[in-house]
Amino acid sequence: MNFEKRKRRGGLNLFSTLKVALRALWRNKMRSFLTTLGIIIGVGAVIAMMAIGAGAKAQVESAFAAMGTNLLIVMSGSTSAGGVRGGFGSQPTLTWDDLQAIKTEISTVKAAAPQLRSSQSIVGEESNWTTQIIGTTPEYFEIRTWPMALGAAFTQSDIDSGAKVVVLGQTVVEKLFGANSDPVGNTVRIGGKPFEVVGVAIRKGQSAQGQDYDDTAFIPMTTFAQNIQSGLGKYIPGNIFVAATSAETTSRAQKDITALLRDRHRIGPRADDDFSIRNLAEIAGAQQEGTETMTTLLASVAAVSLLVGGIGIMNIMLVSVTERTREIGVRMAIGAKPRNILLQFLIEALALAMMGGLLGVALGVGVARWLAVRFGWPLLVQPDVIAISFAFSAFVGVVFGLYPARKASRLDPIDALRFE
C-alpha cells in the first residue's frame, strides 16, 4: 500500500511538478539569478533600443511635419566667379512669372507662395527683439500647415494694398510682450515703421537642426518689397514654397515643376538646371530609413544576448542534471515516468527564462525612460515589442532547456541510484 502511494507521488501532477521545479531553483537563488542575467540584459536591451528608436523616428516625423506636409522648396541658381560657386540661392533665377506658372499650370500643385527673408529688429512698447522677417502671401500658412492661435493672418487685400500688418511667432510674442499675452491690435516697429499685429501663429517648435520656427514674423510680400528690402524687378529675392496636392503626388509635382522651369528658362537637354528643388518627403524618408536601420542593428545585437542567455540556461541545467542524478534515480524508482522528469526540467528552464524576461522588461522600460530624460529624446514604449520580447525569452527557455530535460528523462534509474 505504501509502495503504491509512493508510486503515485512519484508520478506527480503538473502543479506538483511546478512546485518541485521552483523549489529546486529557490535552493540556488544566486545561481538562478546569474543564469537569467543574459536573458535580462537581452530583453532589456531590445525593449530600450526599440523604444528609443521609435521615439527618434517620431521626432524626425514631427520635425518634418512642422515644415509642412507635401512640401517642395524651389530655390534659385548659384553664382560662379573665378571657379568658385556660390551655392543655390546666390544667383536670382526664379521670376514672379515662374511662381504664377507653377500655381496655374501644374495640376499636381495645390498652392505656391514666395518666401522673402531678412533679419530685422522689432520694437515693441518696452522691449525689442531681432528676428527673421518673412515676406509672403496668405497661401504660405496653408502650405506650412500653420494656423493662427490668436487673431487672423493677413489677406490678399493686404497684399494688394501693401498694408503694414504683421503676424508674429510665439517666441517673438514672448520676447516683446511676455508669455501668454495677446498682442493682437498692438503696434510694433519694423525698420522704423509702424506695423499692426493682426495675428499670432500657433507654436511650431524646432526643426531637426535646432532652428526655432517660432522666432519669426510674417508680413505681406508687397510690404516687404516696399519697406524692408528692395526687390530685384522680375526676379524673386528668395525661395518658392510649394504644396503638392497629396503625399503621393509630391514626387510627380517635383518632376512637373522641373520640366516647367527648364522650359521657361530655355535650358538645353544637356545643360544643368539653374534652380534646385528640395523634396522634404525624400529627406524625411532617408532620415527615417537611417533611423530604422540603426534601431534594427542595435536590436539585433541585443537579441544576441538572448541567445547567450539561452546557452547559459542550457549550461546550468546540464550541471543541475548532473548534480541531481541520484534524486532523479530515486524519483524514477518510486514511479516517476520519463515525461515527469522531462516536464520538471523543462519547467525549471522555462521559469528561469520567464523570470529573466520579466526583469528584462522592467530594466528595458527603466533604461529607456532614463535615456529619454537624460538626452531629451521622445519615448515610445511599444506594448507589442514587450510582448514579443517576453514571448521570445520563454521560447529561448524551452528550446535551450529541452536538451538537458531530455537527457535527465533518459537516465537509467539503476545507474542513477548508483551515481555518487
Side-chain angles (χ1 to χ4, degrees), residues 18-59:
L18 179 61
K19 287 175 61 178
V20 170
L22 294 178
R23 193 181 302 122
L25 295 176
W26 187 252
R27 282 200 302 265
N28 298 283
K29 294 184 287 293
M30 182 55 70
R31 187 170 73 178
S32 298
F33 172 74
L34 294 176
T35 302
T36 61
L37 206 52
I39 300 291
I40 294 172
I41 294 173
V43 171
V46 168
I47 291 174
M49 291 304 100
M50 293 300 290
I52 293 299
K57 181 181 177 182
Q59 189 175 38

mmCIF file of all heavy atoms in Angstrom, residues 18-59:
data_model
loop_
_atom_site.group_PDB
_atom_site.id
_atom_site.type_symbol
_atom_site.label_atom_id
_atom_site.label_comp_id
_atom_site.label_asym_id
_atom_site.label_seq_id
_atom_site.Cartn_x
_atom_site.Cartn_y
_atom_site.Cartn_z
ATOM 1 N N LEU A 18 5.484 21.643 -10.884
ATOM 2 C CA LEU A 18 5.852 23.058 -10.846
ATOM 3 C C LEU A 18 6.432 23.445 -9.490
ATOM 4 O O LEU A 18 7.449 24.140 -9.405
ATOM 5 C CB LEU A 18 4.619 23.911 -11.166
ATOM 6 C CG LEU A 18 4.816 25.435 -11.141
ATOM 7 C CD1 LEU A 18 5.844 25.861 -12.179
ATOM 8 C CD2 LEU A 18 3.493 26.161 -11.385
ATOM 9 N N LYS A 19 5.822 22.963 -8.421
ATOM 10 C CA LYS A 19 6.327 23.266 -7.084
ATOM 11 C C LYS A 19 7.721 22.705 -6.882
ATOM 12 O O LYS A 19 8.610 23.373 -6.326
ATOM 13 C CB LYS A 19 5.375 22.684 -6.031
ATOM 14 C CG LYS A 19 4.068 23.447 -5.891
ATOM 15 C CD LYS A 19 3.121 22.765 -4.919
ATOM 16 C CE LYS A 19 3.719 22.678 -3.525
ATOM 17 N NZ LYS A 19 2.767 22.064 -2.569
ATOM 18 N N VAL A 20 7.929 21.480 -7.337
ATOM 19 C CA VAL A 20 9.249 20.857 -7.199
ATOM 20 C C VAL A 20 10.295 21.648 -7.987
ATOM 21 O O VAL A 20 11.409 21.894 -7.499
ATOM 22 C CB VAL A 20 9.200 19.389 -7.684
ATOM 23 C CG1 VAL A 20 10.609 18.805 -7.768
ATOM 24 C CG2 VAL A 20 8.343 18.547 -6.742
ATOM 25 N N ALA A 21 9.935 22.065 -9.213
ATOM 26 C CA ALA A 21 10.871 22.807 -10.059
ATOM 27 C C ALA A 21 11.240 24.150 -9.440
ATOM 28 O O ALA A 21 12.418 24.532 -9.376
ATOM 29 C CB ALA A 21 10.264 23.019 -11.439
ATOM 30 N N LEU A 22 10.237 24.879 -8.950
ATOM 31 C CA LEU A 22 10.506 26.186 -8.344
ATOM 32 C C LEU A 22 11.292 26.049 -7.047
ATOM 33 O O LEU A 22 12.154 26.886 -6.742
ATOM 34 C CB LEU A 22 9.186 26.924 -8.090
ATOM 35 C CG LEU A 22 8.391 27.323 -9.341
ATOM 36 C CD1 LEU A 22 7.083 28.003 -8.954
ATOM 37 C CD2 LEU A 22 9.220 28.250 -10.224
ATOM 38 N N ARG A 23 11.012 24.985 -6.297
ATOM 39 C CA ARG A 23 11.765 24.751 -5.048
ATOM 40 C C ARG A 23 13.229 24.500 -5.364
ATOM 41 O O ARG A 23 14.132 24.986 -4.665
ATOM 42 C CB ARG A 23 11.161 23.571 -4.293
ATOM 43 C CG ARG A 23 11.678 23.448 -2.849
ATOM 44 C CD ARG A 23 11.074 22.246 -2.140
ATOM 45 N NE ARG A 23 9.620 22.330 -2.128
ATOM 46 C CZ ARG A 23 8.818 21.416 -2.637
ATOM 47 N NH1 ARG A 23 9.331 20.355 -3.261
ATOM 48 N NH2 ARG A 23 7.516 21.551 -2.568
ATOM 49 N N ALA A 24 13.481 23.771 -6.458
ATOM 50 C CA ALA A 24 14.868 23.491 -6.845
ATOM 51 C C ALA A 24 15.598 24.772 -7.250
ATOM 52 O O ALA A 24 16.780 24.965 -6.935
ATOM 53 C CB ALA A 24 14.883 22.491 -8.006
ATOM 54 N N LEU A 25 14.891 25.658 -7.944
ATOM 55 C CA LEU A 25 15.510 26.932 -8.325
ATOM 56 C C LEU A 25 15.748 27.823 -7.121
ATOM 57 O O LEU A 25 16.763 28.520 -7.030
ATOM 58 C CB LEU A 25 14.614 27.664 -9.342
ATOM 59 C CG LEU A 25 14.423 27.004 -10.700
ATOM 60 C CD1 LEU A 25 13.443 27.803 -11.560
ATOM 61 C CD2 LEU A 25 15.759 26.876 -11.433
ATOM 62 N N TRP A 26 14.812 27.799 -6.168
ATOM 63 C CA TRP A 26 14.932 28.653 -4.976
ATOM 64 C C TRP A 26 16.096 28.232 -4.092
ATOM 65 O O TRP A 26 16.682 29.064 -3.391
ATOM 66 C CB TRP A 26 13.616 28.629 -4.209
ATOM 67 C CG TRP A 26 13.597 29.612 -3.062
ATOM 68 C CD1 TRP A 26 13.650 29.338 -1.736
ATOM 69 C CD2 TRP A 26 13.523 31.036 -3.168
ATOM 70 N NE1 TRP A 26 13.619 30.493 -1.006
ATOM 71 C CE2 TRP A 26 13.540 31.567 -1.862
ATOM 72 C CE3 TRP A 26 13.443 31.910 -4.247
ATOM 73 C CZ2 TRP A 26 13.481 32.926 -1.609
ATOM 74 C CZ3 TRP A 26 13.387 33.270 -3.986
ATOM 75 C CH2 TRP A 26 13.410 33.765 -2.683
ATOM 76 N N ARG A 27 16.422 26.946 -4.139
ATOM 77 C CA ARG A 27 17.551 26.469 -3.311
ATOM 78 C C ARG A 27 18.869 27.089 -3.776
ATOM 79 O O ARG A 27 19.822 27.198 -3.006
ATOM 80 C CB ARG A 27 17.650 24.934 -3.390
ATOM 81 C CG ARG A 27 16.639 24.199 -2.534
ATOM 82 C CD ARG A 27 17.092 22.765 -2.270
ATOM 83 N NE ARG A 27 17.299 22.014 -3.500
ATOM 84 C CZ ARG A 27 16.393 21.228 -4.066
ATOM 85 N NH1 ARG A 27 15.191 21.109 -3.507
ATOM 86 N NH2 ARG A 27 16.662 20.578 -5.167
ATOM 87 N N ASN A 28 18.936 27.483 -5.053
ATOM 88 C CA ASN A 28 20.155 28.092 -5.592
ATOM 89 C C ASN A 28 19.804 29.466 -6.182
ATOM 90 O O ASN A 28 19.871 29.681 -7.395
ATOM 91 C CB ASN A 28 20.760 27.186 -6.675
ATOM 92 C CG ASN A 28 21.175 25.834 -6.127
ATOM 93 O OD1 ASN A 28 22.199 25.691 -5.477
ATOM 94 N ND2 ASN A 28 20.341 24.822 -6.392
ATOM 95 N N LYS A 29 19.395 30.371 -5.292
ATOM 96 C CA LYS A 29 18.884 31.671 -5.748
ATOM 97 C C LYS A 29 19.914 32.451 -6.557
ATOM 98 O O LYS A 29 19.616 32.978 -7.626
ATOM 99 C CB LYS A 29 18.422 32.494 -4.538
ATOM 100 C CG LYS A 29 17.230 31.912 -3.801
ATOM 101 C CD LYS A 29 16.773 32.804 -2.697
ATOM 102 C CE LYS A 29 17.724 32.784 -1.514
ATOM 103 N NZ LYS A 29 17.766 31.492 -0.824
ATOM 104 N N MET A 30 21.134 32.539 -6.024
ATOM 105 C CA MET A 30 22.155 33.338 -6.710
ATOM 106 C C MET A 30 22.499 32.728 -8.071
ATOM 107 O O MET A 30 22.640 33.444 -9.068
ATOM 108 C CB MET A 30 23.408 33.441 -5.843
ATOM 109 C CG MET A 30 24.519 34.299 -6.468
ATOM 110 S SD MET A 30 23.968 35.971 -6.916
ATOM 111 C CE MET A 30 23.745 36.671 -5.291
ATOM 112 N N ARG A 31 22.634 31.405 -8.109
ATOM 113 C CA ARG A 31 22.952 30.756 -9.374
ATOM 114 C C ARG A 31 21.823 30.954 -10.388
ATOM 115 O O ARG A 31 22.067 31.190 -11.568
ATOM 116 C CB ARG A 31 23.213 29.260 -9.150
ATOM 117 C CG ARG A 31 23.723 28.555 -10.411
ATOM 118 C CD ARG A 31 24.189 27.156 -10.103
ATOM 119 N NE ARG A 31 23.071 26.255 -9.852
ATOM 120 C CZ ARG A 31 23.203 24.945 -9.601
ATOM 121 N NH1 ARG A 31 24.423 24.417 -9.537
ATOM 122 N NH2 ARG A 31 22.158 24.188 -9.385
ATOM 123 N N SER A 32 20.587 30.888 -9.906
ATOM 124 C CA SER A 32 19.446 31.093 -10.799
ATOM 125 C C SER A 32 19.446 32.513 -11.359
ATOM 126 O O SER A 32 19.197 32.729 -12.545
ATOM 127 C CB SER A 32 18.137 30.827 -10.046
ATOM 128 O OG SER A 32 18.077 29.479 -9.608
ATOM 129 N N PHE A 33 19.737 33.487 -10.478
ATOM 130 C CA PHE A 33 19.752 34.877 -10.928
ATOM 131 C C PHE A 33 20.857 35.105 -11.962
ATOM 132 O O PHE A 33 20.632 35.740 -12.995
ATOM 133 C CB PHE A 33 19.952 35.814 -9.742
ATOM 134 C CG PHE A 33 20.160 37.251 -10.148
ATOM 135 C CD1 PHE A 33 19.107 38.020 -10.607
ATOM 136 C CD2 PHE A 33 21.428 37.827 -10.088
ATOM 137 C CE1 PHE A 33 19.299 39.340 -11.002
ATOM 138 C CE2 PHE A 33 21.634 39.136 -10.477
ATOM 139 C CZ PHE A 33 20.562 39.898 -10.931
ATOM 140 N N LEU A 34 22.047 34.596 -11.685
ATOM 141 C CA LEU A 34 23.151 34.761 -12.628
ATOM 142 C C LEU A 34 22.865 34.077 -13.957
ATOM 143 O O LEU A 34 23.278 34.549 -15.020
ATOM 144 C CB LEU A 34 24.450 34.227 -12.013
ATOM 145 C CG LEU A 34 24.979 35.006 -10.803
ATOM 146 C CD1 LEU A 34 26.207 34.316 -10.225
ATOM 147 C CD2 LEU A 34 25.305 36.446 -11.178
ATOM 148 N N THR A 35 22.147 32.969 -13.892
ATOM 149 C CA THR A 35 21.787 32.255 -15.111
ATOM 150 C C THR A 35 20.854 33.091 -15.985
ATOM 151 O O THR A 35 20.957 33.089 -17.218
ATOM 152 C CB THR A 35 21.111 30.913 -14.772
ATOM 153 O OG1 THR A 35 22.003 30.134 -13.971
ATOM 154 C CG2 THR A 35 20.758 30.141 -16.032
ATOM 155 N N THR A 36 19.937 33.823 -15.338
ATOM 156 C CA THR A 36 18.966 34.619 -16.091
ATOM 157 C C THR A 36 19.530 35.965 -16.542
ATOM 158 O O THR A 36 18.859 36.695 -17.276
ATOM 159 C CB THR A 36 17.717 34.897 -15.230
ATOM 160 O OG1 THR A 36 18.106 35.650 -14.069
ATOM 161 C CG2 THR A 36 17.060 33.600 -14.803
ATOM 162 N N LEU A 37 20.739 36.295 -16.126
ATOM 163 C CA LEU A 37 21.287 37.617 -16.413
ATOM 164 C C LEU A 37 21.360 37.894 -17.918
ATOM 165 O O LEU A 37 21.084 39.010 -18.372
ATOM 166 C CB LEU A 37 22.676 37.759 -15.784
ATOM 167 C CG LEU A 37 23.137 39.176 -15.443
ATOM 168 C CD1 LEU A 37 22.086 39.886 -14.599
ATOM 169 C CD2 LEU A 37 24.465 39.147 -14.716
ATOM 170 N N GLY A 38 21.746 36.885 -18.688
ATOM 171 C CA GLY A 38 21.804 37.070 -20.139
ATOM 172 C C GLY A 38 20.437 37.384 -20.715
ATOM 173 O O GLY A 38 20.293 38.244 -21.601
ATOM 174 N N ILE A 39 19.397 36.693 -20.222
ATOM 175 C CA ILE A 39 18.034 36.960 -20.670
ATOM 176 C C ILE A 39 17.613 38.362 -20.259
ATOM 177 O O ILE A 39 17.007 39.108 -21.041
ATOM 178 C CB ILE A 39 17.059 35.922 -20.080
ATOM 179 C CG1 ILE A 39 17.442 34.505 -20.531
ATOM 180 C CG2 ILE A 39 15.623 36.256 -20.461
ATOM 181 C CD1 ILE A 39 17.219 34.238 -21.981
ATOM 182 N N ILE A 40 17.919 38.752 -19.026
ATOM 183 C CA ILE A 40 17.550 40.088 -18.525
ATOM 184 C C ILE A 40 18.156 41.173 -19.404
ATOM 185 O O ILE A 40 17.481 42.105 -19.841
ATOM 186 C CB ILE A 40 18.015 40.258 -17.065
ATOM 187 C CG1 ILE A 40 17.254 39.305 -16.148
ATOM 188 C CG2 ILE A 40 17.824 41.700 -16.601
ATOM 189 C CD1 ILE A 40 17.778 39.272 -14.718
ATOM 190 N N ILE A 41 19.468 41.050 -19.661
ATOM 191 C CA ILE A 41 20.156 42.056 -20.467
ATOM 192 C C ILE A 41 19.612 42.065 -21.893
ATOM 193 O O ILE A 41 19.389 43.126 -22.481
ATOM 194 C CB ILE A 41 21.675 41.795 -20.457
ATOM 195 C CG1 ILE A 41 22.236 41.998 -19.047
ATOM 196 C CG2 ILE A 41 22.379 42.702 -21.453
ATOM 197 C CD1 ILE A 41 23.692 41.608 -18.903
ATOM 198 N N GLY A 42 19.392 40.884 -22.464
ATOM 199 C CA GLY A 42 18.892 40.806 -23.831
ATOM 200 C C GLY A 42 17.529 41.436 -23.994
ATOM 201 O O GLY A 42 17.317 42.278 -24.871
ATOM 202 N N VAL A 43 16.570 41.032 -23.146
ATOM 203 C CA VAL A 43 15.218 41.586 -23.232
ATOM 204 C C VAL A 43 15.230 43.083 -22.938
ATOM 205 O O VAL A 43 14.597 43.888 -23.644
ATOM 206 C CB VAL A 43 14.272 40.852 -22.252
ATOM 207 C CG1 VAL A 43 12.923 41.562 -22.178
ATOM 208 C CG2 VAL A 43 14.071 39.410 -22.694
ATOM 209 N N GLY A 44 15.976 43.478 -21.904
ATOM 210 C CA GLY A 44 16.052 44.899 -21.561
ATOM 211 C C GLY A 44 16.628 45.729 -22.689
ATOM 212 O O GLY A 44 16.122 46.814 -23.009
ATOM 213 N N ALA A 45 17.683 45.235 -23.314
ATOM 214 C CA ALA A 45 18.328 45.979 -24.400
ATOM 215 C C ALA A 45 17.404 46.086 -25.609
ATOM 216 O O ALA A 45 17.316 47.145 -26.246
ATOM 217 C CB ALA A 45 19.637 45.304 -24.792
ATOM 218 N N VAL A 46 16.719 45.000 -25.945
ATOM 219 C CA VAL A 46 15.799 45.032 -27.091
ATOM 220 C C VAL A 46 14.704 46.066 -26.857
ATOM 221 O O VAL A 46 14.418 46.905 -27.728
ATOM 222 C CB VAL A 46 15.179 43.644 -27.337
ATOM 223 C CG1 VAL A 46 14.019 43.743 -28.326
ATOM 224 C CG2 VAL A 46 16.224 42.679 -27.870
ATOM 225 N N ILE A 47 14.080 46.049 -25.683
ATOM 226 C CA ILE A 47 12.982 46.982 -25.392
ATOM 227 C C ILE A 47 13.480 48.422 -25.382
ATOM 228 O O ILE A 47 12.859 49.324 -25.953
ATOM 229 C CB ILE A 47 12.320 46.615 -24.054
ATOM 230 C CG1 ILE A 47 11.577 45.281 -24.197
ATOM 231 C CG2 ILE A 47 11.365 47.710 -23.593
ATOM 232 C CD1 ILE A 47 11.017 44.748 -22.902
ATOM 233 N N ALA A 48 14.626 48.656 -24.729
ATOM 234 C CA ALA A 48 15.167 50.019 -24.652
ATOM 235 C C ALA A 48 15.528 50.551 -26.036
ATOM 236 O O ALA A 48 15.190 51.690 -26.387
ATOM 237 C CB ALA A 48 16.386 50.050 -23.735
ATOM 238 N N MET A 49 16.214 49.732 -26.850
ATOM 239 C CA MET A 49 16.625 50.194 -28.171
ATOM 240 C C MET A 49 15.428 50.443 -29.082
ATOM 241 O O MET A 49 15.393 51.429 -29.824
ATOM 242 C CB MET A 49 17.554 49.158 -28.820
ATOM 243 C CG MET A 49 18.922 49.027 -28.168
ATOM 244 S SD MET A 49 19.837 50.583 -28.095
ATOM 245 C CE MET A 49 19.548 51.087 -26.395
ATOM 246 N N MET A 50 14.435 49.565 -29.037
ATOM 247 C CA MET A 50 13.262 49.748 -29.887
ATOM 248 C C MET A 50 12.454 50.967 -29.451
ATOM 249 O O MET A 50 11.909 51.697 -30.282
ATOM 250 C CB MET A 50 12.382 48.490 -29.852
ATOM 251 C CG MET A 50 13.028 47.267 -30.482
ATOM 252 S SD MET A 50 13.439 47.494 -32.230
ATOM 253 C CE MET A 50 11.808 47.539 -32.950
ATOM 254 N N ALA A 51 12.380 51.216 -28.128
ATOM 255 C CA ALA A 51 11.636 52.377 -27.622
ATOM 256 C C ALA A 51 12.313 53.669 -28.052
ATOM 257 O O ALA A 51 11.656 54.604 -28.533
ATOM 258 C CB ALA A 51 11.524 52.310 -26.104
ATOM 259 N N ILE A 52 13.627 53.736 -27.882
ATOM 260 C CA ILE A 52 14.353 54.939 -28.281
ATOM 261 C C ILE A 52 14.325 55.112 -29.800
ATOM 262 O O ILE A 52 14.181 56.224 -30.321
ATOM 263 C CB ILE A 52 15.803 54.882 -27.769
ATOM 264 C CG1 ILE A 52 15.828 54.957 -26.239
ATOM 265 C CG2 ILE A 52 16.625 56.006 -28.358
ATOM 266 C CD1 ILE A 52 15.238 56.220 -25.665
ATOM 267 N N GLY A 53 14.454 53.989 -30.537
ATOM 268 C CA GLY A 53 14.391 54.062 -31.999
ATOM 269 C C GLY A 53 13.044 54.577 -32.485
ATOM 270 O O GLY A 53 12.976 55.412 -33.387
ATOM 271 N N ALA A 54 11.962 54.088 -31.868
ATOM 272 C CA ALA A 54 10.628 54.561 -32.248
ATOM 273 C C ALA A 54 10.461 56.034 -31.903
ATOM 274 O O ALA A 54 9.839 56.799 -32.646
ATOM 275 C CB ALA A 54 9.551 53.729 -31.537
ATOM 276 N N GLY A 55 11.035 56.440 -30.765
ATOM 277 C CA GLY A 55 10.982 57.843 -30.376
ATOM 278 C C GLY A 55 11.740 58.725 -31.347
ATOM 279 O O GLY A 55 11.289 59.818 -31.710
ATOM 280 N N ALA A 56 12.923 58.252 -31.788
ATOM 281 C CA ALA A 56 13.716 59.016 -32.750
ATOM 282 C C ALA A 56 12.975 59.143 -34.078
ATOM 283 O O ALA A 56 12.990 60.207 -34.721
ATOM 284 C CB ALA A 56 15.072 58.341 -32.959
ATOM 285 N N LYS A 57 12.318 58.069 -34.489
ATOM 286 C CA LYS A 57 11.544 58.111 -35.733
ATOM 287 C C LYS A 57 10.403 59.117 -35.624
ATOM 288 O O LYS A 57 10.150 59.899 -36.550
ATOM 289 C CB LYS A 57 10.980 56.721 -36.038
ATOM 290 C CG LYS A 57 10.170 56.653 -37.322
ATOM 291 C CD LYS A 57 9.627 55.254 -37.561
ATOM 292 C CE LYS A 57 8.751 55.211 -38.813
ATOM 293 N NZ LYS A 57 8.181 53.869 -39.042
ATOM 294 N N ALA A 58 9.728 59.118 -34.465
ATOM 295 C CA ALA A 58 8.638 60.066 -34.257
ATOM 296 C C ALA A 58 9.155 61.499 -34.247
ATOM 297 O O ALA A 58 8.483 62.419 -34.730
ATOM 298 C CB ALA A 58 7.922 59.761 -32.944
ATOM 299 N N GLN A 59 10.357 61.702 -33.707
ATOM 300 C CA GLN A 59 10.949 63.036 -33.678
ATOM 301 C C GLN A 59 11.240 63.536 -35.094
ATOM 302 O O GLN A 59 11.012 64.701 -35.414
ATOM 303 C CB GLN A 59 12.230 63.027 -32.847
ATOM 304 C CG GLN A 59 12.809 64.405 -32.572
ATOM 305 C CD GLN A 59 13.999 64.346 -31.650
ATOM 306 O OE1 GLN A 59 14.818 63.434 -31.717
ATOM 307 N NE2 GLN A 59 14.111 65.315 -30.762
#
